[in-house]
């Protein structure tokens, strides 16, 4: 099941491969260049954890604690430096949750950021894309029914944008 017709790879979406190919084209091929984009995603995830913690708990200290706790996590550090889909997946999933929280607070462009992050998450790992949409959908239904319409619209936009790949996979 890993390959389709003509040995086209189906197991993982291709965004991490394209990111890596761009870095190889720009900087050449080496172990450093191979790990660099994923390490940058890892660093961006730590920064995003700070922003999300600060926004969610309305406290700089909470944001700092979230970032330090993530950066000190050995599992995170090991996965973030690997030349695999892990670091982009963590980044886009956290960005999607951050944008969802911003949608609940009625922030401008939050739905756009949510849709873009969900689309990128789909092209990083489609199982986690589905988990993001299901989890924010259930949360909105249970706790924020007044905000279900923008969440549903943003989710449908991502599904429509990803429809060709959904049918292909």
């Amino acid at each position: 099941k890993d390959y389709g017709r003509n040995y086209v790879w189906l197991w993982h979406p291709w965004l991490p491969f394209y990111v890596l190919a761009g870095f190889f084209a720009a900087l050449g091929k080496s172990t450093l260049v191979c790990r660099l984009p994923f390490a940058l995603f890892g660093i961006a995830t730590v920064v995003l954890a700070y922003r999300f913690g600060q926004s969610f708990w309305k406290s700089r200290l909470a944001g700092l604690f979230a970032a330090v706790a993530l950066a000190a996590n050995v599992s995170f550090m090991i996965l973030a430096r690997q030349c695999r889909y892990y670091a982009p997946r963590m980044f886009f999933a956290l960005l999607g949750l951050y944008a969802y929280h911003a949608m609940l607070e009625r922030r401008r462009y939050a739905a756009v950021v949510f849709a873009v992050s969900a689309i990128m998450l789909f092209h990083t790992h489609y199982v986690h894309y589905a988990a993001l949409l299901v989890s924010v959908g259930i949360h909105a239904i249970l706790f924020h029914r007044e905000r279900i319409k923008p969440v549903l619209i943003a989710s449908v936009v991502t599904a429509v944008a990803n429809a060709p790949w959904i049918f292909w996979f």
Side-chain angles (χ1 to χ4, degrees), residues 72-87:
N73 185 306
V74 175
S75 298
F76 171 78
M77 296 306 290
I78 289 171
L79 292 174
R81 67 181 189 89
Q82 290 186 20
C83 182
R84 299 284 310 266
Y85 62 88
Y86 310 129

Side-chain angles (χ1 to χ4, degrees), residues 12 21 52 57 64 70 76 83 85 93 99 103 112 130 141 151 158 165:
H12 301 290
F52 186 42
W57 286 289
L64 183 63
L70 183 60
F76 171 78
C83 182
Y85 62 88
M103 281 195 313
V112 173
I141 289 169
V151 172
T158 68
W165 292 278

Side-chain angles (χ1 to χ4, degrees), residues 110-168:
V112 173
V113 174
F114 177 81
V116 169
S117 65
I119 290 169
M120 301 317 284
L121 184 60
F122 175 85
H123 290 287
T124 302
H125 202 281
Y126 47 83
V127 173
H128 295 99
Y129 160 79
L132 175 69
L133 293 189
V134 168
S135 61
V136 300
I138 290 171
H139 184 267
I141 289 169
L142 292 177
F143 301 108
H144 298 282
R145 289 203 178 170
E146 74 283 356
R147 299 301 296 152
I148 192 69
K149 186 175 179 181
V151 172
L152 184 62
I153 290 170
S155 298
V156 167
V157 164
T158 68
V160 168
N162 292 325
W165 292 278
I166 291 170
F167 293 122
W168 187 64

Side-chain angles (χ1 to χ4, degrees), residues 100-112:
Y100 169 68
H101 181 259
M103 281 195 313
L104 296 179
E105 293 184 337
R106 303 176 192 272
R107 289 194 202 153
R108 204 170 176 189
Y109 303 115
V112 173

